[in-house]
Amino acid sequence: MMQHTIITIGRQFGSGGHEVGNRLAERLDIPLYDHNLIRMAAQELRISNEEATKVDETILGRFLSAYVVSTGDYTAFMGGEEAGKPLSDRVFERQSAIIRKLAERGPGIFVGRCADYILGDYSNCVNTFIYAYKEDRIRRIMKLYKLEEKQAADKVKRMDRDRKLYYEARTGREWGGIEANAMMFNTSLLGIDGVVEALEAIYHKWETR
């Protein structure tokens, strides 16, 4: 059983969850696992990063699989010895195995990808959820992606919906609910730096238990 500490971060889109994870990883000098998990899964599945990204944190692949079965239009979503299994399922299963392997190897920070659920058997996980007021998230996305307010609001709504559907379909838990998250942080109130400082202190506390 692993003794080192793992931090998982669930996050609303535009709340700054990835930035929290990135800054925290630098402060603690431990690995951050986020988009690089997609690349790892794609490499092991021998598919392109683009294919894996299409179904990352979305249940889109399941709908596409049903479509190609009914039409006979076999694409990258069905092929080889795993024909009939949606690519989203294959990517999720491979990512899950990678997450467990990395968690066994040493401390780290996992952003999204149902990591809190996948690592549910590990007692040394600090499961967190990062959120923010909607207007702050919209402003953040406008700045990051150079979008108009309406475009940013639509993107926030769509991404939150996809993450919620993905998480709840995979785990049977409420996305952002207290069942899965020991700690929840509002970056609108605490700021990115405030959340990073709080998690850094918590990490060190857990390491010395």
Side-chain angles (χ1 to χ4, degrees):
M1 182 64 66
M2 71 178 186
Q3 299 300 317
H4 47 267
T5 301
I6 299 293
I7 294 176
T8 70
I9 298 177
R11 73 282 186 233
Q12 288 182 323
F13 186 66
S15 65
H18 174 80
E19 187 174 351
V20 167
N22 194 47
R23 291 192 193 181
L24 185 62
E26 291 179 357
R27 297 267 290 259
L28 298 175
D29 193 25
I30 62 176
L32 173 71
Y33 302 111
D34 190 354
H35 302 297
N36 47 356
L37 291 169
I38 307 171
R39 294 192 294 271
M40 294 178 196
Q43 184 176 13
E44 291 194 6
L45 289 169
R46 298 183 180 180
I47 61 175
S48 69
N49 290 340
E50 290 75 16
E51 288 175 299
T53 299
K54 286 179 182 178
V55 295
D56 180 50
E57 291 194 297
T58 176
I59 58 173
L60 174 65
R62 290 186 169 184
F63 296 118
L64 288 176
S65 180
Y67 170 78
V68 296
V69 167
S70 64
T71 62
D73 181 18
Y74 291 87
T75 69
F77 288 88
M78 295 183 63
E81 62 184 20
E82 292 187 283
K85 178 179 286 191
L87 182 61
S88 58
D89 288 352
R90 292 162 56 197
V91 170
F92 176 76
E93 290 167 5
R94 196 56 57 99
Q95 276 192 348
S96 297
I98 291 169
I99 287 170
R100 286 189 288 266
K101 180 169 62 177
L102 292 171
E104 289 283 2
R105 182 181 301 172
I109 300 168
F110 293 87
V111 179
R113 281 85 196 174
C114 303
D116 61 290
Y117 175 78
I118 293 164
L119 300 176
D121 292 335
Y122 299 136
S123 60
N124 277 26
C125 277
V126 180
N127 297 320
T128 70
F129 191 85
I130 310 297
Y131 67 105
Y133 297 140
K134 190 172 183 179
E135 56 268 26
D136 291 335
R137 295 194 288 134
I138 291 172
R139 281 194 292 268
R140 181 180 178 83
I141 295 306
M142 288 174 64
K143 182 177 180 180
L144 284 175
Y145 293 92
K146 304 296 189 293
L147 298 176
E148 298 296 329
E149 183 174 357
K150 176 64 164 58
Q151 293 174 310
D154 289 344
K155 190 174 183 67
V156 166
K157 181 178 180 180
R158 183 176 68 255
M159 293 296 292
D160 275 355
R161 180 197 62 211
D162 287 348
R163 288 178 180 177
K164 175 180 172 65
L165 288 173
Y166 176 86
Y167 182 87
E168 295 184 355
R170 296 295 182 187
T171 70
R173 296 173 175 175
E174 179 188 2
W175 182 65
I178 59 174
E179 177 186 359
N181 302 289
M183 303 168 195
M184 304 181 75
F185 298 94
N186 186 338
T187 52
S188 291
L189 297 177
L190 297 173
I192 299 292
D193 288 337
V195 176
V196 171
E197 289 170 5
L199 284 173
E200 182 182 16
I202 291 166
Y203 178 89
H204 290 309
K205 181 69 174 179
W206 277 55
E207 283 286 280
T208 57
R209 288 188 306 167

